[in-house]
Amino acid sequence: MPRAAAPATLAVPPAIRAREAARTAVLTETLGQLYPEPTAVVFEIGCGHGHFLAALAAANPTANYLGVDVVKKRIERAQRKRRRMNLANLAFLHADATQTLAALPARVRLAGVFVLFPDPWPKNRHFARRVLQPAMLDALAERAQSGAWLALRTDHAGYLDWARAQIEKHPAWKLAPELPWPFEHPTYFQELKGPHQSLMAVRR
């Protein structure tokens, strides 16, 4: 007897849907409290222990900064750093970037985005896990103010070429090699990896 065809998509169990809805609700409330007034923020995807963003926030006390990471222990360390440095213009959240963008109040716009040393997922079959997918570029563009910049730094040449190709064909972003790197401060991964390359893009 032949096997029945597998469904094209698997239904998400109700318990998982409920858990994700609860997380989104908490995140929406948290972001609403963080940004009660219209404002622009610089957003870092995968902020790690927060070294880079904390240094940037300390150097620019009149601007607002938000970093997210999916690893809870990294965010705990980043939050301790923020408190120790008394940085009122900086927030770190244990959250997924896509979920954060969806929960961000409409009054908050992105002035810039950092993606520093993301996992390159070097095997072809893993390319769908890379962070700068078209859907992510869409989500960032939707929340970005006109002229907002996107700054990528990586030690993986293949990833840089791939990311450049994604941006070149995206209608809302354009490569901007003439733009200077927004802020220099060595990150943990930058010191660990060594030689690297950078890419700048802007919101059309």
Side-chain angles (χ1 to χ4, degrees), residues 2-151:
R3 292 182 179 179
T9 58
L10 297 176
V12 178
I16 293 179
R17 287 204 305 271
R19 186 162 61 245
E20 288 302 306
R23 290 178 62 183
T24 299
V26 170
L27 188 57
T28 300
E29 182 178 359
T30 299
L31 288 165
Q33 292 173 353
L34 276 173
Y35 305 113
E37 302 292 338
T39 189
V41 301
V42 172
F43 184 48
E44 184 179 2
I45 300 174
C47 62
H49 299 154
H51 300 297
F52 180 85
L53 210 58
L56 179 56
N60 299 276
T62 61
N64 291 302
Y65 300 90
L66 173 64
V68 299
D69 203 291
V70 295
V71 180
K72 187 176 182 180
K73 288 186 177 180
R74 293 176 183 168
I75 289 297
E76 288 172 348
R77 289 186 61 178
Q79 289 172 338
R80 288 196 296 270
K81 186 179 287 84
R82 180 193 61 79
R83 289 192 295 269
R84 187 170 64 250
M85 297 174 68
N86 194 28
L87 296 171
N89 61 331
L90 172 62
F92 291 113
L93 296 177
H94 176 221
D96 169 80
T98 300
Q99 200 171 34
T100 301
L101 290 169
L104 203 62
R107 59 183 172 269
V108 180
R109 309 306 295 174
L110 302 182
V113 181
F114 282 107
V115 183
L116 304 179
F117 298 93
D119 191 325
W121 294 106
K123 296 181 180 179
N124 288 1
R125 66 178 183 273
H126 294 154
F127 278 12
R129 299 184 184 184
R130 290 177 165 178
V131 66
L132 290 180
Q133 300 292 332
M136 176 59 75
L137 292 172
D138 287 343
L140 291 170
E142 183 178 348
R143 307 316 305 268
Q145 63 188 24
S146 178
W149 46 262
L150 169 62

